[in-house]
Amino acid sequence: MTNEQITRDFADAPALSGERADLLAMLAQSRHFLRLTTRDLTDEQAGQRTTASELCLGGLIKHVTLVERNWADFILNGPSAMGDATTMTEADWTAWADQFRMLPGDTLAGVLADYAEVARRTDELVATLPDLDATLPLPKAPWFEAGARWSARRVLMHIVAETAQHAGHADIIRESLDGAKSMG
């Protein structure tokens, strides 16, 4: 993955202005830095743990892809799109943990392609959503306040924050892998 490919993948966002343009610009920047950490890596390197954490670069991309997909589905379909975390089984938790790893058959190119498709879909959603103020009840989960509601705007800000946070994690993992940095 070259810098040119990374930039091109997210350069096709819809032309907007105002708040929606700002949200998409912030999200595009965070996506760029996250993806940049994977430049010139092999599948094996993308799956390598380099810190005390269980995280690897490919796993972070998979996780952020899933998070963005689930929250976009939440905006469209409400809490049922995300399920009830209070009823998760051991198998569900195992599947959840697998999103942070490169599994047999996973490739960096495939993980990045999935992420680009989810990003395209989210960008379209931001461009076409009738009302950023529309709220939905959050799904049941111990980390959400009971009865809380989030607007589409707040969900999108959460996606931006989650992506930026994991871009920072990815930068540390990459620097630990081979000394490469996203910035600096």
Side-chain angles (χ1 to χ4, degrees):
M1 170 90 16
T2 66
N3 287 345
E4 186 177 302
Q5 289 168 312
I6 290 167
T7 302
R8 185 178 57 243
D9 282 344
F10 292 111
D12 298 328
L16 299 170
S17 62
E19 178 182 25
R20 291 171 194 252
D22 290 344
L23 285 167
L24 287 179
M26 289 172 38
L27 186 52
Q29 181 180 33
S30 293
R31 288 174 180 151
H32 169 75
F33 284 119
L34 177 59
R35 290 176 58 94
L36 185 62
T37 63
T38 67
R39 71 195 175 285
D40 303 322
L41 292 181
T42 65
D43 293 338
E44 181 182 348
Q45 289 171 310
Q48 188 175 342
R49 291 179 45 212
T50 63
T51 66
S53 166
E54 292 287 326
L55 300 175
C56 66
L57 293 171
L60 275 174
I61 301 286
K62 286 174 60 175
H63 169 68
V64 172
T65 300
L66 181 66
V67 165
E68 187 169 324
R69 178 184 296 121
N70 286 349
W71 281 111
D73 288 346
F74 170 82
I75 290 171
L76 292 170
N77 303 306
S80 64
M82 296 179 80
D84 181 346
T86 64
T87 63
M88 286 180 65
T89 65
E90 188 173 325
D92 294 331
W93 285 110
T94 298
W96 180 82
D98 283 346
Q99 73 181 294
F100 293 98
R101 294 187 274 276
M102 292 287 282
L103 300 174
D106 285 343
T107 65
L108 181 57
V111 168
L112 290 169
D114 289 345
Y115 188 38
E117 177 56 29
V118 166
R120 183 199 60 71
R121 183 175 167 243
T122 301
D123 290 351
E124 275 184 22
L125 176 64
V126 172
T128 60
L129 197 64
D131 184 5
L132 294 178
D133 291 323
T135 66
L136 293 163
L138 292 174
K140 287 185 181 180
W143 46 87
F144 293 133
E145 179 184 341
R149 297 178 70 87
W150 279 10
S151 67
R153 176 184 297 100
R154 180 151 179 202
V155 170
L156 294 168
M157 291 188 310
H158 178 74
I159 294 170
V160 170
E162 178 98 6
T163 306
Q165 177 180 6
H166 289 310
H169 294 145
D171 201 36
I172 292 167
I173 293 168
R174 179 61 190 259
E175 188 172 2
S176 298
L177 179 66
D178 64 3
K181 300 177 190 177
S182 298
M183 299 175 69

